[in-house]
């Protein structure tokens, strides 16, 4: 099922990119596009297969049953460990007389919708590339388990889009919504502050950026003594003592995540070294900072398991940061070569690490209509 859905979605994404190229040529030649609304149809068809199996899954994902039990806890008048926003979402669905499957569907649509809201507004010529990254970065499957967090991530993609458009009030509003859904999303307020700082000063030289990140890393390592104490006082304290959490989240975030995050960082630094004018872009500056954070948190996660929460935010942002970096390359041929190389790298990583070890228990696929579908 997964293979078929991914092929169909990627095929429509490729068709969308080709249609975008034709529209660009029509604008350049000042001619009328043959099918001006074809792009909207193709965009819709990119999302449909991905949402279809994500919304109709049953029991797929490590935390699926946990969220189900919490839903029925709320249904019976009890309390859940959810943050207030996600609790309210569950209560609304219960009040409307809808079942738990609607919680799954709405949460997944929030995530996929948020991702593609940003992609179609800021990376509309790289939809195939972004879709391949969504799948092969494993973020698509992690959303099957970390349901509330990825609902918040979808909202942050919308907030980031508003931030890049300098619609700061809207960005803050979506950041608040995301934080209410999952409290770890509060880190995005720091992203907003960083963007405003970068947007109101001259471009930072690459060497200065590296020095700043080394200093940050040293300070971060010094925080290992008191961060666990602070975390232990929150609802996430169980991650510090639960051996199952250590085995599950540590395996993906601390090992294979280090590989992918360092590789992405090196690629971004390579492009910047080739053309340091890229640092004149606030978006590029922001994404390189966030990728430094991704590497640092991946390394730190071995000591503080909760760091995996922040790693997934930063990993999800790679779905859009890499297309934006690629779009800055002048040569179309090099853009194509970079895209193919990166997709192949992620695909090989995807097969060797998460899929081979079935992280978050997404195999086999099971829908609400059948016992077990074909992989």
């Amino acid at each position: 099922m997964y293979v078929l859905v991914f092929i169909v979605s990627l095929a429509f994404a490729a068709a969308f990119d080709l249609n975008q190229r034709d529209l660009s040529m029509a604008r350049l030649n000042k001619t009328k596009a043959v099918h001006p609304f074809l792009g909207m149809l193709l965009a819709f068809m990119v999302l449909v297969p991905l949402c279809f199996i994500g919304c109709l899954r049953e029991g797929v994902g490590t935390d699926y049953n946990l969220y189900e039990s919490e839903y029925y806890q709320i249904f019976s008048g009890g309390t859940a460990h959810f943050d207030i926003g996600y609790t309210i979402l569950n209560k609304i669905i219960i009040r409307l007389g809808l079942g738990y499957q609607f919680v799954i569907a709405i949460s997944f649509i929030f995530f996929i919708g948020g991702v593609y809201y940003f992609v179609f507004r800021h990376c509309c010529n790289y939809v195939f590339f972004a879709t391949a990254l969504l799948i092969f970065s494993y973020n698509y499957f992690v959303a099957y388990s970390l349901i509330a967090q990825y609902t918040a991530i979808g909202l942050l993609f919308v907030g980031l889009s508003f931030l890049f458009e300098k619609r700061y009030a809207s960005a803050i509003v979506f950041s608040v919504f995301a934080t209410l859904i999952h409290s770890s999303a509060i880190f995005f307020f720091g992203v907003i502050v960083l963007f405003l700082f970068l947007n109101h000063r001259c471009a930072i030289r690459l060497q200065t950026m590296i020095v700043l990140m080394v200093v940050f890393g040293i300070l971060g390592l010094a925080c290992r003594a008191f961060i666990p104490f602070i975390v232990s006082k929150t609802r996430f304290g169980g991650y510090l003592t639960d051996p199952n959490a250590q085995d599950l989240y540590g395996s993906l975030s601390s090992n294979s995540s280090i590989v992918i995050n360092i590789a992405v960082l090196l690629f971004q630094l390579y492009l910047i070294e080739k053309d340091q004018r890229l640092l004149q872009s606030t978006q590029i500056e922001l994404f390189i900072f966030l990728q430094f954070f991704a590497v640092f948190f991946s390394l730190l996660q071995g000591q503080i398991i909760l760091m995996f929460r922040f790693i997934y935010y930063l990993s999800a942002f790679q779905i859009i940061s890499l297309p934006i970096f690629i779009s800055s390359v002048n040569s179309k041929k090099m853009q194509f070569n970079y895209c193919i190389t990166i997709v192949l790298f992620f695909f090989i990583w995807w097969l060797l690490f998460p899929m081979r070890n079935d992280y978050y228990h997404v195999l086999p696929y099971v829908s609400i209509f059948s016992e077990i579908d074909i992989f």
Side-chain angles (χ1 to χ4, degrees), residues 18 30 33 36 49 107 119 133 147 228 240 254 268 278 324 337 342 364 372:
L18 291 174
K30 298 182 179 180
S107 299
V119 169
L133 290 173
I147 300 170
L240 301 175
S254 187
Q268 293 176 345
L278 296 181
I324 287 177
N337 291 341
I342 291 171
I372 299 180

Side-chain angles (χ1 to χ4, degrees), residues 46-331:
V46 172
L47 275 65
V48 167
L50 298 175
C51 287
F52 182 77
I53 62 171
C55 293
L56 299 181
R57 70 189 189 276
E58 183 176 23
V60 181
T62 303
D63 290 349
Y64 182 97
N65 293 328
L66 171 63
Y67 276 79
E68 185 175 26
S69 65
E70 297 284 350
Y71 169 84
Y72 285 108
Q73 184 76 11
I74 297 172
F75 184 85
S76 63
T79 58
H81 83 291
F82 298 145
D83 287 300
I84 185 172
Y86 204 71
T87 299
I88 292 173
L89 176 62
N90 278 258
K91 287 183 177 180
I92 290 173
I93 291 174
I94 292 171
R95 189 65 64 89
L96 292 174
L98 305 175
Y100 172 65
Q101 198 61 42
F102 280 88
V103 177
I104 293 296
I106 292 172
S107 299
F108 200 74
I109 289 171
F110 267 117
F111 169 59
I112 295 295
V115 170
Y116 281 97
Y117 179 86
F118 187 100
V119 169
F120 288 132
R121 291 185 69 86
H122 300 278
C123 315
C124 62
N125 294 321
Y126 302 89
V127 175
F128 176 87
F129 187 37
T131 302
L133 290 173
L134 169 66
I135 297 168
F136 299 136
S137 68
Y138 211 66
N139 278 285
Y140 179 81
F141 284 128
V142 179
Y144 278 27
S145 185
L146 305 184
I147 300 170
Q149 180 171 352
Y150 270 75
T151 304
I153 287 175
L155 294 173
L156 290 185
F157 270 91
V158 180
L160 188 63
S161 176
F162 286 134
L163 186 63
F164 283 179
E165 296 166 7
K166 299 182 180 179
R167 297 163 64 182
Y168 301 125
S170 298
I172 292 172
V173 167
F174 273 86
S175 301
V176 171
F177 287 156
T179 303
L180 292 174
I181 292 292
H182 202 278
S183 55
S184 62
I186 195 172
F187 96 99
F188 193 75
F189 289 99
V191 175
I192 294 176
V193 172
L194 177 60
F195 180 85
L196 293 174
F197 169 75
L198 295 173
N199 194 50
H200 290 85
R201 65 179 309 283
C202 298
I204 299 175
R205 291 181 60 85
L206 178 60
Q207 296 85 343
T208 305
M209 182 179 292
I210 293 175
V211 170
L212 288 173
M213 295 310 303
V214 169
V215 172
F216 172 82
I218 294 173
L219 293 175
L221 289 173
C223 293
R224 290 187 301 178
F226 65 85
I227 289 180
F229 174 78
I230 296 173
V231 171
S232 66
K233 305 301 180 182
T234 70
R235 71 180 183 89
F236 299 110
Y239 291 112
L240 301 175
T241 57
D242 184 358
N244 293 326
Q246 292 278 349
D247 291 339
L248 175 60
Y249 302 119
S251 59
L252 179 58
S253 297
S254 187
N255 297 327
S256 61
S257 182
I258 292 174
V259 174
I260 206 72
N261 280 314
I262 289 178
V264 171
L265 177 61
L266 291 176
F267 173 73
Q268 293 176 345
L269 291 175
Y270 166 75
L271 290 184
I272 291 174
E273 183 60 31
K274 288 191 65 176
D275 185 2
Q276 293 205 14
R277 290 176 299 177
L278 296 181
L279 290 177
Q280 296 175 2
S281 165
T282 306
Q283 297 179 12
I284 294 291
E285 281 189 306
L286 179 67
F287 280 133
I288 197 69
F289 265 108
L290 294 181
Q291 192 54 40
F292 268 113
F293 293 148
V295 171
F296 174 70
F297 288 145
S298 296
L299 297 171
L300 188 61
Q301 194 264 347
Q303 295 290 329
I304 305 173
I305 188 68
L306 191 60
M307 289 298 103
F308 84 90
R309 288 290 182 184
F310 301 105
I311 293 169
Y312 284 130
Y313 287 107
L314 300 171
S315 171
F317 287 152
Q318 292 170 5
I319 299 168
I320 53 177
S321 68
L322 286 170
I324 287 177
F325 266 86
I326 293 294
S327 67
S328 67
V329 177
N330 293 325
S331 170

Side-chain angles (χ1 to χ4, degrees), residues 15-31:
F16 180 89
D17 286 346
L18 291 174
N19 183 67
Q20 284 295 110
R21 186 188 65 177
D22 292 342
L23 288 175
S24 297
M25 292 298 296
R27 295 191 196 99
L28 184 64
N29 298 325
K30 298 182 179 180
T31 58

